[in-house]
Amino acid sequence: MAVNKVAQSTRLVVKVQTGTNAAGNPVYRQRSFTNTKASAADSDVYAIGQGLGSLQKYPVISISRLDENTLVNQ
């Protein structure tokens, strides 16, 4: 049984630290950017994340790529 992966969508997520709570723990928020080209190289997605991160008011903690795929039995 051969199973193939078919790319459906990709989302770029930039995580920022917006401050700290009363206990002094960091508070995070995520900025999600949909409609990222699924075939884009990881380095290109990261570069876009860095560019978008430089426009954020808060410091960037991480840049993530979330891929959604469908598995097809052939």
Side-chain angles (χ1 to χ4, degrees):
M1 174 171 75
V3 176
N4 293 326
K5 180 173 68 175
V6 179
Q8 295 298 309
S9 65
T10 298
R11 184 170 38 139
L12 169 64
V13 179
V14 178
K15 184 177 180 181
V16 297
Q17 182 179 347
T18 59
T20 56
N21 62 16
N25 297 319
V27 176
Y28 301 108
R29 294 289 183 261
Q30 293 185 354
R31 314 293 192 233
S32 294
F33 302 91
T34 58
N35 296 324
T36 303
K37 190 174 185 179
S39 62
D42 290 342
S43 59
D44 292 338
V45 173
Y46 185 80
I48 296 298
Q50 284 183 312
L52 291 169
S54 70
L55 300 173
Q56 301 299 308
K57 178 179 179 180
Y58 301 106
V60 174
I61 302 302
S62 66
I63 298 170
S64 303
R65 173 185 182 147
L66 302 176
D67 294 319
E68 181 175 313
N69 300 294
T70 299
L71 299 177
V72 180
N73 182 14
Q74 295 188 358

